[in-house]
Structures are given as structure tokens and as C-alpha cells.
Amino acid sequence: MKTLVTDAGAKFIDGKFVDFPDPWGNRIEVVEYRALQFSKTDEVLKSMGLALDKSPEAVEELRKKGMTK
């Protein structure tokens, strides 16, 4: 990941996260989808051609929020 970003000419923001500014100054943070407490419907994932899963911790957080089966 870092090689792709640096090859494109971006410079990483110092810190413990994988962040870099885009050409317009917006801060981009790269995160692993499995860890996010955000979800797409099965239909959306299918239309995007994706088969993604969540970590057990993220699934539990989503369950607590009433956002999973």
C-alpha cells in the first residue's frame, strides 16, 4: 500500500495510521474494511463484485447497534 501511495507522489502524514493528503489537501485514511463498524447490504456488495467479511469485534459492535442479523 505505501509503495503505491509514494509511487503516486504522495507523502505520508506522520503518525500511527496510514494517512496521506490528496492533491486538494483532504486527509485520506486507509483502514481495513473488516474492522469497520459500517456495512453495505448484501445486494450492494454483490453489485460491486465484492465478497467481504467483518472481524468478530466489528460484527459484535454492529450487533449491539442492531445493524446485523
Side-chain angles (χ1 to χ4, degrees):
M1 167 55 84
K2 287 189 174 187
T3 301
L4 293 173
V5 173
T6 54
D7 286 353
K11 301 210 182 323
F12 284 93
I13 298 170
D14 288 335
K16 64 180 184 175
F17 301 107
V18 181
D19 294 1
F20 57 92
D22 70 9
W24 302 274
N26 299 300
R27 185 177 188 138
I28 307 297
E29 180 180 355
V30 180
V31 297
E32 182 181 5
Y33 181 82
R34 288 178 38 84
L36 292 178
Q37 295 168 25
F38 170 81
S39 109
K40 296 184 182 308
T41 64
D42 291 338
E43 293 80 10
V44 170
L45 289 171
K46 183 178 177 181
S47 72
M48 296 174 73
L50 300 173
L52 304 175
D53 63 345
K54 296 284 184 190
S55 68
E57 296 82 8
V59 171
E60 179 61 17
E61 289 295 323
L62 289 165
R63 188 195 62 73
K64 286 179 184 177
K65 294 175 183 178
M67 297 177 65
T68 63
K69 301 172 192 168

